[in-house]
Structures are given as structure tokens and as C-alpha cells.
Short mmCIF file of all heavy atoms in Angstrom, two decimals:
data_model
loop_
_atom_site.label_atom_id
_atom_site.label_comp_id
_atom_site.label_asym_id
_atom_site.label_seq_id
_atom_site.Cartn_x
_atom_site.Cartn_y
_atom_site.Cartn_z
N ASP A 1 62.29 -59.27 117.60
CA ASP A 1 63.60 -59.59 116.93
C ASP A 1 63.60 -59.08 115.48
O ASP A 1 63.44 -59.95 114.52
CB ASP A 1 63.88 -61.12 117.04
CG ASP A 1 65.34 -61.38 116.57
OD1 ASP A 1 66.15 -60.48 116.53
OD2 ASP A 1 65.64 -62.60 116.43
N VAL A 2 63.70 -57.79 115.28
CA VAL A 2 63.65 -57.24 113.89
C VAL A 2 65.00 -57.00 113.38
O VAL A 2 65.90 -56.40 114.08
CB VAL A 2 62.77 -55.94 113.96
CG1 VAL A 2 62.70 -55.39 112.57
CG2 VAL A 2 61.37 -56.24 114.54
N ASN A 3 65.26 -57.40 112.17
CA ASN A 3 66.58 -57.16 111.51
C ASN A 3 66.38 -55.83 110.79
O ASN A 3 65.95 -55.76 109.65
CB ASN A 3 66.72 -58.26 110.55
CG ASN A 3 68.27 -58.27 110.04
OD1 ASN A 3 69.06 -57.30 110.45
ND2 ASN A 3 68.61 -59.22 109.19
N PHE A 4 66.88 -54.74 111.51
CA PHE A 4 66.76 -53.46 110.96
C PHE A 4 67.79 -53.21 109.86
O PHE A 4 67.58 -52.34 108.90
CB PHE A 4 67.03 -52.41 112.06
CG PHE A 4 66.04 -52.36 113.14
CD1 PHE A 4 66.17 -52.94 114.31
CD2 PHE A 4 64.82 -51.77 112.83
CE1 PHE A 4 65.20 -52.91 115.27
CE2 PHE A 4 63.75 -51.66 113.83
CZ PHE A 4 63.94 -52.24 114.99
N ASP A 5 68.86 -53.94 109.75
CA ASP A 5 69.78 -53.84 108.59
C ASP A 5 69.11 -54.28 107.36
O ASP A 5 69.24 -53.69 106.28
CB ASP A 5 71.07 -54.67 108.86
CG ASP A 5 71.87 -54.09 110.07
OD1 ASP A 5 71.81 -52.93 110.23
OD2 ASP A 5 72.50 -54.96 110.66
N ARG A 6 68.34 -55.31 107.42
CA ARG A 6 67.60 -55.75 106.18
C ARG A 6 66.58 -54.78 105.83
O ARG A 6 66.21 -54.55 104.62
CB ARG A 6 67.00 -57.14 106.47
CG ARG A 6 66.26 -57.71 105.26
CD ARG A 6 65.70 -59.04 105.64
NE ARG A 6 66.72 -59.98 106.03
CZ ARG A 6 66.36 -61.22 106.46
NH1 ARG A 6 65.17 -61.63 106.56
NH2 ARG A 6 67.40 -62.11 106.80
N MET A 7 65.87 -54.14 106.80
CA MET A 7 64.91 -53.18 106.51
C MET A 7 65.50 -51.86 105.82
O MET A 7 64.92 -51.27 105.01
CB MET A 7 64.16 -52.67 107.75
CG MET A 7 63.33 -53.82 108.28
SD MET A 7 62.52 -53.35 109.89
CE MET A 7 61.51 -51.99 109.36
N ARG A 8 66.73 -51.60 106.24
CA ARG A 8 67.34 -50.38 105.65
C ARG A 8 67.79 -50.47 104.25
O ARG A 8 68.15 -49.51 103.58
CB ARG A 8 68.60 -49.88 106.55
CG ARG A 8 68.17 -49.38 107.99
CD ARG A 8 69.43 -48.75 108.63
NE ARG A 8 69.03 -48.53 110.09
CZ ARG A 8 69.29 -49.32 111.11
NH1 ARG A 8 69.95 -50.36 110.87
NH2 ARG A 8 69.00 -48.97 112.31
N GLN A 9 68.00 -51.75 103.79
CA GLN A 9 68.41 -52.06 102.44
C GLN A 9 67.44 -51.54 101.44
O GLN A 9 67.79 -51.04 100.34
CB GLN A 9 68.59 -53.59 102.24
CG GLN A 9 69.76 -54.08 103.01
CD GLN A 9 69.91 -55.61 102.81
OE1 GLN A 9 69.13 -56.20 102.14
NE2 GLN A 9 71.01 -56.16 103.40
N HIS A 10 66.05 -51.55 101.76
CA HIS A 10 65.04 -51.08 100.85
C HIS A 10 64.49 -49.66 101.27
O HIS A 10 63.37 -49.37 101.04
CB HIS A 10 63.90 -52.10 100.85
CG HIS A 10 64.38 -53.44 100.50
ND1 HIS A 10 64.76 -53.80 99.26
CD2 HIS A 10 64.45 -54.54 101.28
CE1 HIS A 10 65.06 -55.11 99.27
NE2 HIS A 10 64.89 -55.57 100.46
N PHE A 11 65.38 -48.94 102.01
CA PHE A 11 64.99 -47.56 102.51
C PHE A 11 64.62 -46.60 101.33
O PHE A 11 63.61 -45.86 101.37
CB PHE A 11 66.04 -47.02 103.41
CG PHE A 11 65.69 -45.65 103.89
CD1 PHE A 11 64.81 -45.51 104.89
CD2 PHE A 11 66.35 -44.51 103.42
CE1 PHE A 11 64.44 -44.22 105.45
CE2 PHE A 11 65.96 -43.28 103.92
CZ PHE A 11 65.06 -43.08 104.95
N THR A 12 65.40 -46.71 100.27
CA THR A 12 65.16 -45.70 99.14
C THR A 12 63.87 -46.03 98.38
O THR A 12 63.41 -45.06 97.74
CB THR A 12 66.42 -45.73 98.25
OG1 THR A 12 66.46 -47.16 97.81
CG2 THR A 12 67.66 -45.27 98.83
N SER A 13 63.35 -47.21 98.54
CA SER A 13 62.11 -47.49 97.83
C SER A 13 60.91 -46.82 98.48
O SER A 13 59.85 -46.61 97.80
CB SER A 13 61.81 -48.93 97.77
OG SER A 13 61.70 -49.48 99.16
N TYR A 14 61.05 -46.35 99.67
CA TYR A 14 59.95 -45.64 100.47
C TYR A 14 59.99 -44.07 100.24
O TYR A 14 59.07 -43.46 100.70
CB TYR A 14 60.00 -45.87 101.93
CG TYR A 14 59.91 -47.36 102.31
CD1 TYR A 14 60.91 -48.04 102.92
CD2 TYR A 14 58.72 -48.07 101.95
CE1 TYR A 14 60.82 -49.40 103.20
CE2 TYR A 14 58.60 -49.41 102.26
CZ TYR A 14 59.70 -50.10 102.92
OH TYR A 14 59.55 -51.39 103.24
N VAL A 15 61.07 -43.63 99.48
CA VAL A 15 61.20 -42.15 99.50
C VAL A 15 60.13 -41.49 98.62
O VAL A 15 59.61 -40.48 99.02
CB VAL A 15 62.59 -41.78 98.95
CG1 VAL A 15 62.75 -40.37 98.60
CG2 VAL A 15 63.77 -42.23 99.91
N PRO A 16 59.73 -42.08 97.51
CA PRO A 16 58.60 -41.34 96.79
C PRO A 16 57.29 -41.26 97.55
O PRO A 16 56.65 -40.18 97.64
CB PRO A 16 58.41 -42.26 95.52
CG PRO A 16 59.76 -42.92 95.34
CD PRO A 16 60.25 -43.21 96.74
N LEU A 17 56.91 -42.37 98.20
CA LEU A 17 55.68 -42.28 99.00
C LEU A 17 55.90 -41.45 100.22
O LEU A 17 54.83 -40.58 100.43
CB LEU A 17 55.29 -43.75 99.54
CG LEU A 17 54.07 -43.82 100.34
CD1 LEU A 17 52.85 -43.47 99.50
CD2 LEU A 17 53.95 -45.26 100.94
N ALA A 18 56.96 -41.35 100.80
CA ALA A 18 57.16 -40.43 101.88
C ALA A 18 57.15 -38.97 101.47
O ALA A 18 56.62 -38.13 102.16
CB ALA A 18 58.59 -40.76 102.58
N ALA A 19 57.69 -38.73 100.31
CA ALA A 19 57.62 -37.32 99.70
C ALA A 19 56.22 -36.89 99.41
O ALA A 19 55.81 -35.69 99.71
CB ALA A 19 58.53 -37.35 98.47
N ILE A 20 55.37 -37.85 98.94
CA ILE A 20 54.03 -37.50 98.68
C ILE A 20 53.30 -37.16 99.98
O ILE A 20 52.52 -36.15 100.03
CB ILE A 20 53.28 -38.63 97.87
CG1 ILE A 20 53.93 -38.68 96.49
CG2 ILE A 20 51.81 -38.39 97.72
CD1 ILE A 20 53.46 -39.89 95.70
N ILE A 21 53.35 -38.03 101.01
CA ILE A 21 52.73 -37.83 102.26
C ILE A 21 53.14 -36.61 102.88
O ILE A 21 52.42 -35.83 103.41
CB ILE A 21 52.96 -39.07 103.14
CG1 ILE A 21 52.27 -40.27 102.49
CG2 ILE A 21 52.40 -38.76 104.51
CD1 ILE A 21 52.49 -41.54 103.24
N GLY A 22 54.51 -36.31 102.83
CA GLY A 22 55.06 -35.06 103.38
C GLY A 22 54.46 -33.88 102.70
O GLY A 22 54.15 -32.77 103.36
N ALA A 23 54.35 -33.87 101.35
CA ALA A 23 53.80 -32.75 100.65
C ALA A 23 52.30 -32.55 101.02
O ALA A 23 51.91 -31.34 101.11
CB ALA A 23 53.90 -32.98 99.14
N VAL A 24 51.61 -33.62 101.17
CA VAL A 24 50.14 -33.44 101.61
C VAL A 24 50.11 -32.81 102.95
O VAL A 24 49.21 -31.93 103.19
CB VAL A 24 49.47 -34.84 101.52
CG1 VAL A 24 48.10 -34.75 102.16
CG2 VAL A 24 49.35 -35.35 100.13
N VAL A 25 50.91 -33.24 103.87
CA VAL A 25 50.92 -32.74 105.25
C VAL A 25 51.28 -31.29 105.22
O VAL A 25 50.62 -30.41 105.88
CB VAL A 25 51.85 -33.53 106.13
CG1 VAL A 25 52.00 -32.83 107.58
CG2 VAL A 25 51.26 -34.98 106.40
N LEU A 26 52.27 -30.88 104.47
CA LEU A 26 52.69 -29.46 104.36
C LEU A 26 51.60 -28.63 103.84
O LEU A 26 51.33 -27.51 104.20
CB LEU A 26 54.00 -29.43 103.56
CG LEU A 26 55.17 -29.72 104.28
CD1 LEU A 26 56.41 -29.62 103.31
CD2 LEU A 26 55.51 -28.93 105.47
N ALA A 27 50.81 -29.15 102.71
CA ALA A 27 49.77 -28.43 102.16
C ALA A 27 48.66 -28.30 103.16
O ALA A 27 48.08 -27.14 103.23
CB ALA A 27 49.27 -29.15 100.85
N GLU A 28 48.27 -29.20 103.96
CA GLU A 28 47.23 -29.14 104.87
C GLU A 28 47.72 -28.07 105.97
O GLU A 28 46.79 -27.25 106.44
CB GLU A 28 47.01 -30.46 105.57
CG GLU A 28 46.32 -31.40 104.68
CD GLU A 28 46.08 -32.81 105.36
OE1 GLU A 28 46.67 -32.92 106.44
OE2 GLU A 28 45.44 -33.62 104.79
N MET A 29 48.90 -28.19 106.40
CA MET A 29 49.38 -27.14 107.41
C MET A 29 49.33 -25.75 106.80
O MET A 29 48.94 -24.76 107.52
CB MET A 29 50.80 -27.48 107.90
CG MET A 29 50.80 -28.71 108.76
SD MET A 29 52.39 -29.24 109.24
CE MET A 29 52.96 -27.88 110.22
N ALA A 30 49.72 -25.57 105.62
CA ALA A 30 49.65 -24.23 104.95
C ALA A 30 48.26 -23.73 104.75
O ALA A 30 48.01 -22.49 105.04
CB ALA A 30 50.33 -24.36 103.57
N LEU A 31 47.29 -24.63 104.44
CA LEU A 31 45.92 -24.17 104.43
C LEU A 31 45.44 -23.79 105.79
O LEU A 31 44.66 -22.67 105.85
CB LEU A 31 45.03 -25.33 103.82
CG LEU A 31 45.17 -25.66 102.39
CD1 LEU A 31 44.37 -26.90 102.00
CD2 LEU A 31 44.70 -24.42 101.56
#
């Protein structure tokens, strides 16, 4: 019974960490 609306309220706070992880994954794939 997860309240996804409450989780989406703080969605923008995860964007910096997600961008860092995405950049690391892209760098590994490029290598």
C-alpha cells in the first residue's frame, strides 16, 4: 500500500543524484 502521489512530491530532489549516476553509466558504456 504505497502512496505514490506522496513519493512524486519529492521527485525533483532525486534529479541531481540520478544525473550523476546516469553520467557514470554513460561514461562506462563509452569506455
Side-chain angles (χ1 to χ4, degrees):
D1 189 15
V2 179
N3 190 359
F4 291 101
D5 293 330
R6 184 179 298 174
M7 293 176 61
R8 290 191 191 99
Q9 291 176 357
H10 306 289
F11 178 75
T12 56
S13 62
Y14 300 117
V15 172
L17 180 61
I20 294 172
I21 294 174
V24 170
V25 171
L26 284 177
E28 290 177 352
M29 291 176 64
L31 287 174

